[in-house]
Amino acid sequence: MMTTQKKVIIVTASVVILGLGVYFLTKTNSNGKSLLGGNKKYIDEGDVNLVPAFSASQKVALLYEAMNRYSGTDETLIFETLTGVSQAQFGLINKTFGLKNYNRILGYNTIGGSKLPLKTWLKEELNDADYNLLRKKFPSYL
């Protein structure tokens, strides 16, 4: 006869294994597909707002967060933020960014900086290859 402790361990292990199985079967990949099939839906298909609204101030906040770091620039966040952004939208981002204090020696907003535009922030924060990639995408502004 099994002891109560053994039964609890077996039941707990079974629940954990079942939970992990459901998770991995329903987990979606980068295309939104799961092993069980079907698409991941974030909003009702009848909704007209299927494309997230563009927000220049939200993009500026993300860019600023990626660059204004003591621990160094998050280049990945910069490129993720600017992926899918049109030339006109980048113009709005550039205008919304305005001039922000930047210390060229320390590489972020701190005492002893000067007010600089987004173009200068990006040029200071990115290596030449990354900056030139953005210049090709947004030639009117960079």
Side-chain angles (χ1 to χ4, degrees):
M1 200 160 137
M2 273 207 290
T3 64
T4 308
Q5 192 176 8
K6 281 186 180 176
K7 284 181 186 173
V8 169
I9 291 171
I10 290 172
V11 169
T12 304
S14 300
V15 170
V16 168
I17 290 168
L18 179 67
L20 284 171
V22 169
Y23 170 76
F24 284 113
L25 284 173
T26 58
K27 181 175 183 258
T28 55
N29 63 16
S30 58
N31 298 327
K33 298 271 188 207
S34 70
L35 287 176
L36 293 176
N39 287 329
K40 191 177 209 178
K41 291 188 178 71
Y42 294 103
I43 17 184
D44 176 47
E45 287 189 333
D47 194 332
V48 292
N49 298 317
L50 290 175
V51 176
F54 170 78
S55 164
S57 56
Q58 183 186 34
K59 298 282 188 189
V60 165
L62 288 167
L63 288 171
Y64 187 71
E65 178 190 322
M67 293 186 287
N68 191 40
R69 293 175 170 216
Y70 176 74
S71 59
T73 304
D74 185 346
E75 290 86 357
T76 306
L77 181 55
I78 292 173
F79 281 96
E80 284 174 357
T81 302
L82 295 176
T83 297
V85 169
S86 70
Q87 181 89 302
Q89 289 172 330
F90 188 79
L92 288 171
I93 292 169
N94 196 34
K95 185 178 178 183
T96 305
F97 189 90
L99 298 174
K100 296 200 184 312
N101 188 57
Y102 185 83
N103 184 314
R104 287 185 167 182
I105 296 164
L106 297 174
Y108 56 97
N109 180 1
T110 187
I111 298 167
S114 51
K115 298 223 174 256
L116 298 171
L118 178 58
K119 176 180 180 174
T120 310
W121 273 73
L122 288 169
K123 192 155 181 58
E124 292 285 327
E125 292 293 311
L126 295 172
N127 64 37
D128 290 345
D130 286 348
Y131 181 76
N132 287 330
L133 196 64
L134 288 181
R135 266 186 55 203
K136 285 180 183 147
K137 186 171 175 161
F138 308 114
S140 301
Y141 299 98
L142 298 178

